[in-house]
Amino acid sequence: MSNPDELPQGELLRVEGIRKTFPGVVALDGVDFDLRRGEVHVLLGENGAGKSTLIKMLSGAYRPDAGRIVVGGEEVRVHGAQDSERLGIATIYQEFNLVPDLTVAENIFLGRQPRRFGLIDRKKMEADAAELLERVGVSVPPGARVRELGIARLQMVEIAKALSLDARVLIMDEPTAVLTSEEVDKLFAIVRRLREDGVGIVFITHHLEEIAALGDRVTVLRDGKSVGQVPASTPEDELVKLMVGRSIEQQYPRERPETGEALLRVEGLTRDGVFHDVSFEVRAGEVVGVAGLVGAGRTEVVRAVFGADPYDKGLVKVAGAELRRHDVNAAMEAGIGLVPEDRKGQGLLLDASVAENLGLVTLRGATRGGFVDLKGQQEAAARVAGQLGVRMAGLHQHVRTLSGGNQQKVVIGKWLLAETKVLILDEPTRGIDVGAKVEIYQLINELTAAGAAVLMISSDLPEVLGMSDRVLVMAQGRLAGELPAAEATQDAVMALAVSTPTSTTTTEVEAPRGH
C-alpha cells in the first residue's frame, strides 16, 4: 500500500461517485469526499442527507452500488468491520459500541487481548489501556466497569479504543450531542492533539458554531448528493443555504400571540434531594423556556409535573384543577403532554409504524368494546403526519428508519392528535439539523397561536432566548430566577445558572399578561 505522505497533500482517504440505494430511496447519488492527514473534515447535512449512509460505507456496514473507495492511494473493498479496522479506519457512533459489564481495558482490547502462555495477560492489557487513556487525557481506572462511567468518559474510552487499533482515520458521529460545554472543550483538545499526530478526522455535527472552532474543510451533503466543499471559515448563513437549498432569514421565528389564562401552575414543588420549592406558571399562547446547567434539576421537575416521577410536597394545577400526584394518566387526561429528552428510549416505539406511534396517546379513546377504530386512527394519523410534513415512505414505515427530525415530529404529533393543552418539550431539537429545527419552531408557533401553552427545556441557550416569552433559570435544584424575553441575555441567564439560589434569593418577575 502507498505511503500517505507520498500522496497529494497527504491524502488518507477518498471516495468517488459513491451511490447507494435502498428500496424506494436513493440514499447516496454520486458522492465525492476526501480526507487528508492531520485535518478535521466536517461532514454536514440535514438528517436524511446521506451522512450516516456514507460513514457506514467506510465502516463496512454497507457496500456501495457504484463508485469506489480509495485508502492510501489504493482502491479497496470494505466488506465489514474487520476490513475497516485493517485499513486503519475507526468509527465512533452516537450509540457507543461498548459492553457495559466489561472493564474499560477489556472494552478497549475486546477480541484483541494480549496473551501470555495462552492466557490473557491482564497486567499488560491494563498497562496498555492506561497509556491510551493518558493519551486522550481522561482519568479512568482501566479496571473500572464501563457501566459506571458517564457519557463523556464513555466517549473517551471509544477514542482510546480507536487509537488502540492504530487508526489513521477517525470518524466521529455527533460526538458533542450529549456533552456539556466543559466536556466539549476537553473533547476538542483531544481532537486537536490527534490532528497534530497526523490522524485524519471525519467530524459530523449539527452545531454550526463548532465548525469554525475545530474544522479545516466542510463537505455538505443534500438529498444524497455532495453539493459543495468549502473552508471551515465559511459563514454559518452560507453553510445553512448549502444544507437546505434556501436561506433561512430568521433562525428563531418566534411569533408572540396574546397570552391568556394560566393553563399550568406549579406551586412549591419539592422532591427531597432533587429539587426544592419550585413555583411557576405557563399561560395560554406562551412559550416558557427553562435554562440551567446539566444537573440543575430541569428534567426532574417536568417529569414530576407530568406524573412520571414522584414528589414530596407542592401541587400541580391544569386550568385551575389540581392534579393527582405521580399519575401520568391523570396528567394526560388533563391535557399535559411530554416530549422527553430521550426520544428513542422514551418517546417512540422504534419497531412500530409511524401510524401506530402517532396513535399511542389516543388509542384508549379510540377503543370501543375492546375493538380499536383502526380506520379512524389511520385517517387521524395521516392528517397529522401531513400537517407536520413528516418525510416518510408511508404511514406503515417503521419509525426507526426515519431521520432524527422526522422522529421528533412523530413524538410531537401524537400529542397534537390528543389535542394537548400544555406541551412540555425536553431538548426538542437535540441532534436535529438546522432545517428541521426551524420546522419544529414553526410548529411551536402554531401550537401557541391555537392557545396551547409550551414549557421548553433546552441546553441550547440561543434557542431558549430566541423562542421563549419568559425564561426560568434553575440552579442546584431550585428556581434561581425568571427573566422576561426583553431582559433575557446569555450573560443574564448564565449568571443565574451558576448562582447558589436559596428560597430567599430567588428573583421574581411578574409574568406578562399580554404583548
Side-chain angles (χ1 to χ4, degrees), residues 8-24:
Q9 299 181 340
E11 181 183 276
L12 290 174
L13 167 75
R14 184 170 77 254
V15 299
E16 297 175 348
I18 289 290
R19 179 178 172 84
K20 181 65 180 177
T21 60
F22 299 100

Side-chain angles (χ1 to χ4, degrees), residues 165-347:
L165 296 166
D166 252 350
R168 293 175 297 163
V169 173
L170 181 60
I171 302 170
M172 307 183 80
D173 185 11
E174 292 283 351
T176 64
V178 293
L179 301 185
T180 65
S181 57
E182 184 180 345
E183 290 166 346
V184 168
D185 290 342
K186 290 179 181 177
L187 176 67
F188 280 13
I190 291 165
V191 170
R192 291 185 183 107
R193 282 204 301 274
L194 293 174
R195 178 168 57 186
E196 289 169 5
D197 290 345
V199 176
I201 296 158
V202 181
F203 196 89
I204 298 175
T205 183
H206 287 312
H207 298 292
L208 299 184
E209 71 278 4
E210 294 177 355
I211 295 171
L214 192 66
D216 297 299
R217 288 187 295 158
V218 182
T219 289
V220 182
L221 299 185
R222 184 171 78 235
D223 298 330
K225 295 181 171 67
S226 39
V227 295
Q229 189 179 102
V230 295
S233 57
T234 302
E236 289 185 12
D237 288 351
E238 291 183 32
L239 293 174
V240 169
K241 191 170 182 179
L242 279 170
M243 285 171 61
V244 301
R246 63 185 187 279
S247 60
I248 295 178
E249 300 298 331
Q250 188 180 9
Q251 195 169 358
Y252 303 106
R254 176 68 182 135
E255 299 164 7
R256 293 184 163 87
E258 292 289 320
T259 58
E261 65 171 333
L263 290 181
L264 175 67
R265 188 184 294 275
V266 175
E267 299 177 9
L269 211 63
T270 298
R271 182 178 175 189
D272 292 340
V274 182
F275 51 83
H276 183 77
D277 196 24
V278 176
S279 300
F280 61 87
E281 66 178 29
V282 190
R283 307 180 74 80
E286 187 178 35
V287 177
V288 172
V290 187
L293 303 178
V294 172
R298 298 168 301 167
T299 293
E300 290 80 1
V301 166
V302 299
R303 283 180 57 82
V305 168
F306 184 62
D309 292 342
Y311 54 93
D312 301 310
K313 287 188 290 187
L315 55 87
V316 177
K317 294 180 179 178
V318 178
E322 186 174 342
L323 283 186
R324 291 193 301 275
R325 294 185 185 189
H326 200 192
D327 190 334
V328 170
N329 287 330
M332 289 166 58
E333 287 169 8
I336 300 181
L338 171 65
V339 174
E341 179 180 18
D342 178 8
R343 64 173 171 265
K344 289 185 178 180
Q346 300 173 0

Side-chain angles (χ1 to χ4, degrees), residues 140-157:
V140 177
R145 299 281 169 189
V146 159
R147 69 166 59 257
E148 299 166 3
L149 306 182
I151 293 292
R153 288 185 168 190
L154 289 175
Q155 197 157 61
M156 301 314 176
V157 172

Side-chain angles (χ1 to χ4, degrees), residues 127 135 164:
R135 186 177 168 192
S164 77

Side-chain angles (χ1 to χ4, degrees), residues 97-131:
N97 190 24
L98 298 170
V99 182
D101 289 322
L102 295 184
T103 68
V104 169
E106 287 168 338
N107 269 280
I108 289 174
F109 293 104
L110 189 61
R112 302 172 291 112
Q113 298 95 328
R115 292 182 178 272
R116 190 179 183 199
F117 307 124
L119 301 174
I120 292 174
D121 187 344
R122 290 195 168 275
K123 187 175 180 182
K124 176 172 172 50
M125 182 173 68
E126 295 200 353
D128 290 348
E131 280 185 26

